[in-house]
């Protein structure tokens, strides 16, 4: 939060700060957010900070449609305009293309942020990222997520260095020179997902239950958030429009869109 304030001139509501901290320190996060919360803004913050602070880092922005991926990229472009430090760290301005949008950072190797079209997954198969930001997770086909998106995060930032580190630790443990409990586990790659609420027959609900089960077992790598409109500070959202939506939408639609609930089908 402080880095975003100092480097990118960004300010956050309390709910943003809580989720940003979890997305930074944990490996698997699902955030179910109300309309107007700012999922794209939060994802853009994670992407830019990761690329700024970790040399050679790769971040992928994935959504069910290319238009949604570009919406996150638009937030990155806004941050670029506001932050001289961000501008100085890049080789050139953020670039939009017909099949991808990207930001290339200075360095050898330089960090890289890329927004990709999902389609059926065939065109982006083989891409590799250390952090994958998945928007509108509930609307992404479950099979594409498991067979195309998840494998993107399997490679370590420096695979052979990681192999040598583990071998060295094993040698020290075998000689009695290192206590296994003293080893700090290397942070694995991240898959961070966000969406509005949806029906419980969806794969996102299954994934949320899986994460809750792991959290209850004490696994600190997982987090799930559900943020309704009333968790945002006064003035953040237009309450008049929310009341209008409540009077015109069905109760189930309003619960999903503004209360961030996963609801039973009826």
């Amino acid at each position: 939060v402080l880095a975003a304030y100092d480097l990118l001139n960004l300010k956050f509501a309390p709910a943003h700060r809580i989720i940003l901290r979890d997305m930074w320190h944990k490996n698997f996060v699902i955030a179910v957010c109300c309309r107007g919360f700012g999922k794209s803004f939060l994802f853009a913050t994670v992407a830019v900070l990761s690329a700024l602070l970790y040399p050679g880092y790769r971040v992928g922005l994935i959504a069910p449609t290319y238009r949604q991926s570009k919406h996150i990229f638009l937030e990155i472009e806004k941050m670029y305009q506001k932050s001289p430090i961000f501008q100085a760290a890049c080789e050139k301005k953020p670039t939009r293309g017909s099949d991808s949008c990207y930001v290339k950072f200075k360095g050898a190797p330089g960090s890289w942020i890329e927004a990709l079209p999902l389609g059926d997954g065939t065109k982006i198969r083989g891409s590799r990222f250390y952090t994958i930001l998945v928007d509108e997770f509930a609307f992404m086909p479950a099979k594409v997520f498991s067979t195309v998106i998840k494998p993107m995060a399997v490679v370590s930032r420096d695979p052979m260095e990681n192999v040598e580190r583990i071998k060295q630790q094993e040698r020290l443990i075998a000689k009695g020179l290192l206590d296994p409990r003293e080893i700090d586990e290397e942070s694995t790659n991240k898959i961070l997902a966000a969406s509005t609420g949806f029906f419980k027959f969806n794969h996102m609900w299954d994934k949320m239950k899986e994460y809750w089960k792991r959290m209850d077992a004490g696994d600190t790598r997982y987090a799930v958030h559900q943020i309704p409109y009333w968790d945002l500070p006064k003035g953040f959202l237009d309450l008049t429009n929310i009341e209008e939506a409540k009077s015109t939408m069905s109760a189930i639609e309003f619960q999903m869109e503004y209360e961030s609930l996963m609801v039973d089908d009826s």
Side-chain angles (χ1 to χ4, degrees):
V1 173
L2 291 175
Y5 179 82
D6 289 336
L7 302 179
L8 303 175
N9 299 317
L10 301 178
K11 296 180 180 180
F12 300 94
H16 289 131
R17 297 175 192 170
I18 293 168
I19 298 174
L20 178 59
R21 281 198 293 267
D22 270 358
M23 287 185 169
W24 191 262
H25 293 292
K26 300 180 186 293
N27 305 109
F28 306 99
V29 179
I30 294 175
V32 184
C33 310
C34 66
R35 287 292 176 189
F37 174 77
K39 304 188 304 296
S40 299
F41 168 73
L42 203 59
F43 270 172
T45 303
V46 173
V48 173
L49 281 182
S50 298
L52 272 174
L53 299 177
Y54 293 112
Y57 205 79
R58 297 181 65 89
V59 183
L61 313 176
I62 312 290
T65 68
Y66 191 27
R67 181 188 61 80
Q68 291 165 322
S69 298
K70 287 191 290 186
H71 193 65
I72 306 173
F73 196 78
L74 175 61
E75 294 294 332
I76 291 176
E77 291 174 319
K78 292 178 182 178
M79 292 178 187
Y80 182 87
Q81 296 299 326
K82 291 178 63 175
S83 171
I85 293 175
F86 185 7
Q87 296 169 19
C90 296
E91 287 190 350
K92 59 180 181 179
K93 294 191 297 183
T95 302
R96 286 175 174 259
S98 59
D99 57 355
S100 73
C101 303
Y102 63 89
V103 185
K104 180 73 166 66
F105 289 73
K106 297 175 183 177
S111 297
W112 179 270
I113 301 172
E114 187 171 16
L116 294 170
L118 180 65
D120 60 3
T122 55
K123 291 185 177 180
I124 63 174
R125 188 183 292 271
S127 299
R128 294 291 178 264
F129 301 106
Y130 308 132
T131 288
I132 300 173
L133 304 171
V134 183
D135 197 13
E136 298 299 347
F137 182 44
F139 302 95
M140 178 170 289
K143 185 175 181 180
V144 174
F145 176 75
S146 61
T147 61
V148 178
I149 304 302
K150 290 179 69 175
M152 289 180 177
V154 298
V155 179
S156 302
R157 267 186 279 171
D158 193 330
M160 289 312 302
E161 182 178 304
N162 201 39
V163 169
E164 292 301 321
R165 178 185 61 81
I166 293 173
K167 286 183 178 179
Q168 176 68 3
Q169 288 175 350
E170 291 174 345
R171 286 194 291 266
L172 293 173
I173 291 171
K175 293 179 180 180
L177 301 176
L178 179 65
D179 188 335
R181 294 171 296 181
E182 296 176 354
I183 297 174
D184 289 329
E185 289 292 332
E186 278 287 300
S187 178
T188 59
N189 297 340
K190 299 174 184 288
I191 298 179
L192 312 175
S195 181
T196 51
F198 201 62
F199 292 102
K200 287 184 178 179
F201 58 71
N202 185 266
H203 70 97
M204 185 171 75
W205 176 245
D206 296 332
K207 189 66 67 175
M208 291 167 67
K209 291 190 294 183
E210 176 191 335
Y211 284 16
W212 279 322
K213 185 176 181 180
R214 291 177 181 271
M215 292 162 63
D216 289 341
D219 195 330
T220 58
R221 297 173 299 167
Y222 293 82
V224 177
H225 295 276
Q226 289 175 271
I227 306 95
Y229 71 91
W230 56 76
D231 275 350
L232 293 168
K234 187 176 181 180
F236 193 93
L237 298 175
D238 187 334
L239 295 181
T240 302
N241 283 332
I242 293 177
E243 289 300 321
E244 173 66 17
K246 192 171 187 178
S247 67
T248 57
M249 302 172 75
S250 71
I252 286 179
E253 287 174 327
F254 188 81
Q255 288 170 348
M256 292 190 296
E257 295 290 331
Y258 289 97
E259 297 182 0
S260 302
L261 293 178
M262 301 295 289
V263 301
D264 294 307
D265 56 315
S266 63

